[in-house]
Amino acid sequence: KQKKEERRRRKRELTRYITSLKETQIALLQAQINPHFLFNTLQSISFMAIAFTRTDNTVTRAVDMLSSMMRYMMEVDYNTVTVEKELEYSRAYIGLEQLRFGEKLKVDWEIDPQLETCQIAKVTLQPILENSIKHGFKNMKEEGQNVVCGRREEEDCVFTVSDNGIGQTEEWIDAKNEELGKSMTLTGRRIGIQNVNQRIRMIFGMNYGLNIRKMEKGFCVEIRIPAVSGEDKSR
């Protein structure tokens, strides 16, 4: 019995070691790609594209939007940013997607300007929009429509991202909402709906986060955070 326990213990240790080694290798690979180098390279590509056409063009617009997103992601000192900055990042992402999908992708932004100075968890809206485009509009032949709304509700800021996509069943939505209400543990490197929800709860508390609602067509993700204004980024 002791030998079996010892073998199990060694197997667990080996698994932890291999996992740690893989994470270290990934970190080393990522460290070799200096973000400032990539940012400067993008700027050089933009200048070269302008030199060819002697004016702004699709390439320069794409590079500018990607550069804007990279600049945003390189600011790693803060967990929260102003809604205004988060919207700039999200609009740059949508701009790049519209270069791919053209007129098939429409996004309406209905944000109360008074919310722009409020603090929001960094990278909140973009992953939800990405999820909508990737899954909601999958195999759709008609135009994809997203509506991003932001309003004040008493002491809270409430954002919704809704689409006219293929939607999900009531059972899927109930299961997802139950999942969103559980653990606060962040796992993996992917930034999806669950990751966004857990970060909001870790920053602002358990009363805040995401909720999914079914619509007549497509579905809607609601984001609730406290209305914290100002430039305080100490969170």
Side-chain angles (χ1 to χ4, degrees):
K1 187 177 180 181
Q2 280 186 327
K3 287 183 179 180
K4 286 184 178 179
E5 287 296 326
E6 181 65 17
R7 283 198 296 269
R8 290 195 190 100
R9 185 184 66 80
R10 289 182 178 178
K11 187 175 181 180
R12 288 195 299 268
E13 288 180 352
L14 179 60
T15 300
R16 284 197 296 268
Y17 173 78
I18 292 172
T19 301
S20 177
L21 181 60
K22 285 181 178 178
E23 290 176 349
T24 302
Q25 289 172 331
I26 290 169
L28 285 170
L29 286 170
Q30 290 177 334
Q32 291 184 47
I33 305 175
N34 187 301
H36 293 284
F37 167 76
L38 288 176
F39 180 76
N40 292 334
T41 301
L42 286 171
Q43 293 301 304
S44 297
I45 292 171
S46 180
F47 293 145
M48 286 188 288
I50 290 175
F52 276 117
T53 63
R54 300 187 184 279
T55 186
D56 288 339
N57 52 67
T58 304
V59 174
T60 61
R61 290 195 295 274
V63 169
D64 287 346
M65 286 183 285
L66 186 56
S67 297
S68 176
M69 293 182 69
M70 282 194 62
R71 188 185 297 111
Y72 184 80
M73 293 304 296
M74 283 161 58
E75 297 173 358
V76 295
D77 295 335
Y78 309 115
N79 293 318
T80 63
V81 294
T82 61
V83 169
E84 181 181 19
K85 284 190 175 182
E86 178 69 12
L87 288 172
E88 287 176 5
Y89 176 74
S90 301
R91 286 183 172 120
Y93 164 74
I94 289 298
L96 287 171
E97 291 287 33
Q98 286 175 327
L99 289 177
R100 292 174 55 208
F101 293 103
E103 295 297 318
K104 289 185 177 180
L105 176 60
K106 300 286 187 182
V107 180
D108 290 333
W109 305 86
E110 301 174 2
I111 309 294
D112 184 343
Q114 294 183 350
L115 300 186
E116 292 187 351
T117 58
C118 291
Q119 295 290 308
I120 189 171
K122 189 174 182 180
V123 192
T124 290
L125 297 173
Q126 182 271 330
I128 297 170
L129 285 163
E130 181 177 354
N131 187 75
S132 175
I133 293 168
K134 184 177 180 181
H135 300 292
F137 301 145
K138 190 176 181 180
N139 300 324
M140 277 185 63
K141 294 182 179 179
E142 61 186 280
E143 182 181 280
Q145 179 76 42
N146 273 113
V147 180
V148 184
C149 298
R151 65 186 185 278
R152 180 77 177 260
E153 283 190 5
E154 297 182 351
E155 300 303 314
D156 293 342
C157 295
V158 178
F159 297 88
T160 56
V161 179
S162 55
D163 64 58
N164 66 336
I166 58 175
Q168 292 287 354
T169 64
E170 291 280 4
E171 290 77 16
W172 185 94
I173 291 174
D174 289 343
K176 181 60 69 173
N177 282 329
E178 183 178 353
E179 181 184 334
L180 291 171
K182 290 181 179 177
S183 171
M184 285 182 61
T185 302
L186 288 174
T187 59
R189 294 171 177 266
R190 296 180 61 189
I191 302 181
I193 286 180
Q194 180 74 336
N195 181 291
V196 171
N197 181 65
Q198 304 297 21
R199 285 188 293 112
I200 288 174
R201 294 171 73 188
M202 292 173 78
I203 293 169
F204 297 115
M206 298 292 285
N207 292 329
Y208 300 98
L210 273 56
N211 183 264
I212 301 173
R213 302 199 309 263
K214 185 173 177 59
M215 301 178 65
E216 186 177 339
K217 195 168 188 181
F219 69 95
C220 172
V221 178
E222 180 184 277
I223 307 146
R224 183 175 293 273
I225 58 174
V228 179
S229 297
E231 295 297 325
D232 179 15
K233 299 179 182 177
S234 59
R235 289 179 177 272

